[in-house]
Structures are given as C-alpha cells and as structure tokens.
Amino acid sequence: MELYYYPLFRHSQKVLLAMFEKQLSFLPRVTDLHDPLQRRAFAELQPLCRLPLLISNDGRQLPESSIIVEYLDQLVDVGSKLLPDEAPQQLQVRLYDRLIDNYLSYPLLQLEQQLRLPKELQQPLLQRQLENRIHTLLAQLEQQLEQHHWLCGESFTMADCALIPSLAALPTRFNLLDFPALGSYWLHAQLRGSWMLVQDEVEQLLQLQQNGQRTS
C-alpha cells in the first residue's frame, strides 16, 4: 500500500496512528501541498488534492481519514480492533470520530488560521466563538472519559485515533487541568507506542525543514 500524507496534518496523524496500531507496512509518500510542484503532481493523482490518500494493493484510491481507518481495520485482524464488531459500540465509535473531526479538529484549524493572521486582520469575536465550540466538546469528552479508559471503552479505537492528534494541537489557552479525566487520558495517550511513532515522523519532518532553512 502507498500512503500519501503530511505528518504535521492531524488527519494524516489519525491514519498513521491506525497504521501503527494495525502493525501494517506501507510505502510512505510524504506530500507537502504548500509546495507548488508537489501539489501539482498530487493533483494529477487526486484532483480534489486532499490528504491523506491511501492506494490499496489492488490500486484503489481511498481518500478521507475515517474511510481509510475503516478499510485498514477490515483488511487485517492483527493489532488493535479499531471498530468494534457489535453494532451499538461501533455506532458510538463512529459518532465520536465525527464529533471530533467536525467540532474539535475543524474549529482548531480555523482558530490556528485566525492566530496566524496579522493582529489587525484577526477577528476576536470569531475566535471566541471557536474557543467556545472547542470548550463545549472538551466538556462532553470529559464526561465520556469519566466512565472509560479510552474514549469509547477499555479498548483503543478509531475515536482515539481522531482525538489524540487534536489534543496534541490544543493551544495553551485550553488548560487540560480543567478537565481531570481528559488530562489523565492525554498523559497515557502520550505513552502509546503508536503515538510515539507518529511523533517520530513529526520530529523527522521538522528536522528536515530546519536543515533546509539553514542551507537555503
């Protein structure tokens, strides 16, 4: 399999987590869509130009992180079972996966874009609205984690693959000390072997970028 991804993107990290949890080997195709040449080459393969993208062994193109994770979970029985077999538990995993992508990861992206703007172009009202949305979902996740070790039970699932990269990207203005169960979850998530491997990928890319800046 070939995986087109960018280690700094949360949805790419989500798929990398699943890959490592399933103990799958793949050909890494690190793609920087901010680079015009790489973007043009990738657009020829995938016109929507969205990462991540998995090319399966039989040549099928699978975009969208949740679809890729579900495919990987069906592909092999080894490693973590990322989607439970029982329908009610499976529905809960899918629910939290979508909640995290839509109401945590996406508002985080919007907030990051706001904070990168020059001060005079930032919109304080929009920032507060985004912060409130994020805080609301964090409070819901706190309630869920008061009952479970991982997000949807005692086993690591696709919902955790979605949540961990978003927690890693939380701005310092969100203090996890305000969410004891979520803070405890984050502490043991950082010790998960699959997340350590994702962090290795992130650090390698950052090191390459720093080396490139020094030589340019």
Side-chain angles (χ1 to χ4, degrees):
M1 294 182 292
E2 296 178 75
L3 180 64
Y4 289 81
Y5 67 103
Y6 194 61
L8 303 186
F9 289 175
R10 285 188 288 279
H11 285 93
S12 291
Q13 293 174 2
K14 173 179 167 181
V15 171
L16 284 174
L17 268 170
M19 281 283 194
F20 296 140
E21 287 287 333
K22 300 300 291 184
Q23 303 170 30
L24 288 165
S25 60
F26 61 96
L27 293 173
R29 306 297 190 197
V30 176
T31 304
D32 183 359
L33 295 181
H34 295 108
D35 181 288
L37 293 178
Q38 291 186 49
R39 187 179 185 89
R40 189 178 306 119
F42 183 65
E44 292 178 2
L45 177 68
Q46 214 259 7
L48 291 177
C49 224
R50 295 285 302 275
L51 293 172
L53 174 71
L54 182 74
I55 309 295
S56 67
N57 288 330
D58 58 6
R60 280 185 294 170
Q61 291 191 15
L62 296 167
E64 299 300 329
S65 60
S66 297
I67 297 297
I68 295 173
V69 174
E70 290 204 32
Y71 171 79
L72 296 176
D73 200 48
Q74 295 170 8
L75 187 64
V76 293
D77 291 329
V78 299
S80 300
K81 183 67 177 171
L82 299 176
L83 276 165
D85 292 325
E86 301 78 11
Q89 289 81 5
Q90 190 176 111
L91 182 62
Q92 186 184 53
V93 169
R94 286 197 172 103
L95 169 63
Y96 275 95
D97 172 70
R98 301 320 308 137
L99 287 174
I100 292 162
D101 278 358
N102 291 323
Y103 300 109
L104 182 57
S105 185
Y106 182 58
L108 273 174
L109 175 61
Q110 292 177 294
L111 185 58
E112 290 163 355
Q113 291 170 340
Q114 272 289 307
L115 296 175
R116 282 197 294 265
L117 292 172
K119 196 72 174 178
E120 63 273 13
L121 296 179
Q122 294 183 18
Q123 302 176 55
L125 177 59
L126 176 59
Q127 289 182 28
R128 286 196 296 273
Q129 291 172 339
L130 293 169
E131 289 170 2
N132 287 338
R133 289 178 203 167
I134 293 167
H135 194 278
T136 298
L137 188 59
L138 291 178
Q140 181 175 341
L141 295 173
E142 173 72 8
Q143 291 182 344
Q144 176 73 1
L145 285 165
E146 287 173 351
Q147 308 169 49
H148 303 296
H149 182 69
W150 294 107
L151 188 54
C152 291
E154 297 308 302
S155 300
F156 191 96
T157 67
M158 178 170 69
D160 299 292
C161 292
L163 178 56
I164 293 172
S166 289
L167 291 182
L170 277 178
T172 54
R173 65 186 69 189
F174 296 98
N175 189 351
L176 286 182
L177 292 176
D178 296 333
F179 304 96
L182 195 56
S184 175
Y185 171 92
W186 174 232
L187 287 176
H188 66 250
Q190 292 178 81
L191 300 175
R192 188 83 175 180
S194 55
W195 179 243
M196 291 180 178
L197 291 172
V198 172
Q199 289 303 100
D200 287 345
E201 293 243 358
V202 170
E203 290 168 9
Q204 288 173 23
L205 178 61
L206 291 175
Q207 188 63 49
L208 283 172
Q209 291 178 342
Q210 290 173 2
N211 293 338
Q213 289 172 358
R214 292 194 195 103
T215 57
S216 60

